[in-house]
Amino acid sequence: MPAPAEFLKYIDTHADAFIMRLGHAVGIPSISGDPAHRKDVFAMADWLNSQLKQLGVDTKLVDLGRHVMDGEDLPLPPAILGRFGNDSNKKTVLIYGHFDVQPANKSDGWDTEPFTLVVNEETGQLIGRGSSDDKGPILGWLNVLQYHHENKVPLPVNLVFCFEGMEESGSEGLDDLVQRESQKGGYFDGVDCVCISDNYWLNTRTPALTYGLRGLAYYKVTVSGPARDLHSGVFGRTVHEPMTDLISLLGTLVTPQGDILIPGVDAMVAPPDEEEKKIYAKLDYSISDVEESAGAAIALSSDKVAVLMGRMRSPSLSIHGIEGAFSTAGAKTVIPAKVSGKFSIRLVPPQTPEKINPLVFEHLEKAFAALGTKNKLVVEELHGGKPWVADHRHWNFEAAKRATKAVYNQDPDLTREGGSIPVTLTFAESLGVNVLLLPMGRGDDGAHSTNEKLDRSNFIEGSKLLGTYLYELADIQK
């Protein structure tokens, strides 16, 4: 059944209020990876829980325990579980999202304050950390709920919510919760399908549905030697320097062309056949889309299929940063006593963190031994998640295809995505149901980057899409 015209009109007429609410959410710096902001993640959980309650959702906050981050013992932010509707004659959809965000500082290169939502009236962009990943999509569901609650219109399906505050830091504590609540009598018992809106269109013009995600293995490599930082004028060329060793190690991981140098990692993935290559050739995507999104003409290849496969069906290794090194303005002639490099590998089937870890550890230990240094090496896996692929011919996807056509008058691209949402596979395996990724944002949103944004049209039309999907879902045969 189509979504009611009154619902679509309601979303349009309340757009400014919805954007104001998004501004409030963006204003809470819920950075899960920074212990100093843990209180803000808790504040975001309380705010979101309050919003859900006001819209008629029966919620509960679930304590996920504690964990250690950067040597500090911290409480994990609670998961928010919620239920809206309990009609045994309706399908039950589990909605997942996360309310934590990546770190952001104006000094990183932002044009505006990252935790103040800036509405660019000229471009229609809503600029702020978390606007696209993942506060905008979560609030899209709230926009849908608000229409039904205020107008006392029953939803066409039952909704179960699972919102968490640690997705950007490995979803600590969530797997156990999902597995526990998926059992007979658990909170998720009876769920028919899952919908996650935490990804993006391939480009800026064509809606997409995503049926695959890469997994992730994230590593920290620490090299230490001197008992304290040293003066390079006194100790330069007299001692083994940790920074020099670390740079050498990082240089053994990946080529400038993206080839992974750790033996066995690339080789674990079978090459594509010609039939598979045709899937990527059909997608509405070009090299100029890649470069427009990146903001520079820096694509690894001019071959569209090769680049798309590099993003979707091949593993990648990225070096993210160095901790403990001098990085502020000016010149400081210091030899750091201890430095850590951080890098990650995006995984594809059949790779898993458990299969990749031994290869990474062995490679780094051999490379370190070859340096002939007296410094010490510690390698850690900080967090990881398995890759996921779903059946895009399932009725859950068919409902989303119909909804996309109804709202955007376009058929969606079917994509596998380069990012990772570790809990996706946990939901699929624990519940034994189909999981759909239904994106709100566009390919140039810059999630995890500076000047992250969500286009006003994607926020408003995307809210319509989420609601329309629920109506199509109610109508479709299992």
Side-chain angles (χ1 to χ4, degrees):
M1 70 181 91
E6 294 81 7
F7 162 70
L8 303 176
K9 183 179 178 183
Y10 182 93
I11 297 293
D12 282 330
T13 56
H14 288 74
D16 289 343
F18 293 156
I19 291 168
M20 192 178 301
R21 178 160 58 196
L22 178 60
H24 193 108
V26 168
I28 303 173
S30 50
I31 305 166
S32 60
D34 183 347
H37 282 282
R38 184 54 53 91
K39 65 183 186 303
D40 296 311
V41 189
F42 273 81
M44 184 67 206
D46 289 339
W47 180 83
L48 180 56
N49 185 53
S50 172
Q51 293 290 311
L52 289 164
K53 281 181 172 296
Q54 289 173 34
L55 295 174
V57 181
D58 180 24
T59 71
K60 68 174 182 175
L61 296 175
V62 181
D63 183 0
L64 298 180
R66 304 181 70 86
H67 74 137
V68 176
M69 175 177 281
D70 295 338
E72 192 174 342
D73 182 68
L74 297 167
L76 287 166
I80 304 173
L81 301 185
R83 183 175 288 276
F84 192 95
N86 198 15
D87 187 336
S88 59
N89 295 315
K90 296 177 179 179
K91 294 186 183 78
T92 299
V93 190
L94 193 156
I95 306 299
Y96 164 85
H98 67 91
F99 50 84
D100 63 318
V101 297
Q102 285 278 321
N105 292 294
K106 184 107 183 323
S107 58
D108 296 336
W110 283 73
D111 296 330
T112 59
E113 290 295 336
F115 293 103
T116 300
L117 188 73
V118 173
V119 181
N120 187 319
E121 299 293 350
E122 191 175 320
T123 64
Q125 293 179 347
L126 312 173
I127 305 161
R129 175 58 90 222
S131 56
S132 181
D133 182 19
D134 185 36
K135 293 179 178 179
I138 284 181
L139 266 59
W141 292 113
L142 266 61
N143 299 344
V144 174
L145 286 173
Q146 185 171 316
Y147 163 77
H148 292 85
H149 180 66
E150 279 189 9
N151 294 283
K152 296 182 171 52
V153 176
L155 271 172
V157 296
N158 305 312
L159 294 183
V160 173
F161 295 99
C162 178
F163 295 136
E164 66 150 325
M166 286 295 291
E167 194 273 346
E168 301 291 6
S169 299
S171 292
E172 292 269 359
L174 195 70
D175 277 2
D176 289 344
L177 172 73
V178 172
Q179 289 159 6
R180 183 173 69 248
E181 297 298 346
S182 296
Q183 294 172 5
K184 189 77 174 170
Y187 204 89
F188 303 149
D189 187 17
V191 163
D192 295 300
C193 61
V194 178
C195 182
I196 298 172
S197 186
D198 185 20
N199 61 311
Y200 322 93
W201 301 355
L202 264 182
N203 52 39
T204 60
R205 59 191 173 271
T206 312
L209 303 179
T210 300
Y211 66 96
L213 289 166
R214 293 195 289 192
L216 178 72
Y218 196 108
Y219 301 95
K220 180 178 180 179
V221 189
T222 301
V223 180
S224 59
R228 60 189 176 279
D229 289 356
L230 302 176
H231 189 304
S232 67
V234 177
F235 289 97
R237 208 165 180 170
T238 67
V239 298
H240 290 282
E241 300 189 15
M243 178 70 95
T244 305
D245 292 349
L246 180 64
I247 297 300
S248 295
L249 284 180
L250 296 179
T252 71
L253 298 175
V254 64
T255 71
Q257 288 71 42
D259 298 316
I260 298 174
L261 297 174
I262 301 169
V265 174
D266 272 344
M268 205 177 286
V269 183
D273 57 26
E274 291 306 311
E275 199 62 35
E276 186 180 1
K277 287 181 181 178
K278 289 177 184 175
I279 296 173
Y280 298 99
K282 288 177 184 173
L283 293 175
D284 182 13
Y285 200 62
S286 67
I287 297 301
S288 63
D289 287 320
V290 179
E291 296 183 334
E292 182 183 341
S293 183
I298 54 172
L300 283 177
S301 167
S302 59
D303 181 346
K304 162 189 161 178
V305 171
V307 170
L308 277 173
M309 289 196 300
R311 170 173 169 168
M312 295 182 186
R313 66 98 58 205
S314 301
S316 65
L317 190 153
S318 300
I319 298 169
H320 303 298
I322 295 177
E323 183 182 307
F326 169 61
S327 61
T328 55
K332 185 179 180 183
T333 55
V334 66
I335 297 172
K338 175 181 171 183
V339 284
S340 299
K342 295 181 179 179
F343 70 95
S344 70
I345 304 176
R346 298 285 175 170
L347 310 175
V348 298
Q351 296 169 330
T352 64
E354 292 74 24
K355 291 178 181 177
I356 293 294
N357 285 346
L359 303 178
V360 172
F361 279 65
E362 182 183 0
H363 170 79
L364 285 167
E365 285 159 6
K366 279 187 178 178
F368 189 70
L371 297 178
T373 178
K374 293 180 181 176
N375 288 319
K376 294 193 168 40
L377 172 72
V378 176
V379 183
E380 305 167 79
E381 188 213 4
L382 297 188
H383 60 259
K386 296 176 184 177
W388 159 82
V389 178
D391 177 12
H392 57 75
R393 295 172 293 275
H394 189 274
W395 51 262
N396 191 22
F397 276 82
E398 291 303 321
K401 290 172 193 173
R402 293 183 191 176
T404 303
K405 182 79 169 179
V407 172
Y408 288 105
N409 201 29
Q410 285 180 272
D411 291 317
D413 273 340
L414 291 172
T415 69
R416 288 169 61 175
E417 189 49 85
S420 306
I421 310 173
V423 77
T424 308
L425 188 69
T426 308
F427 280 125
E429 291 181 340
S430 300
L431 288 164
V433 300
N434 183 271
V435 180
L436 159 76
L437 263 64
L438 182 59
M440 174 180 278
R442 304 188 341 184
D444 63 348
D445 281 355
H448 293 208
S449 187
T450 53
N451 301 318
E452 178 184 347
K453 60 82 180 172
L454 176 66
D455 287 83
R456 186 185 197 277
S457 60
N458 282 68
F459 184 44
I460 301 309
E461 297 305 305
S463 297
K464 295 177 186 176
L465 173 64
L466 298 181
T468 302
Y469 157 71
L470 300 181
Y471 280 90
E472 294 292 349
L473 202 59
D475 204 35
I476 204 161
Q477 292 296 313
K478 285 189 185 180

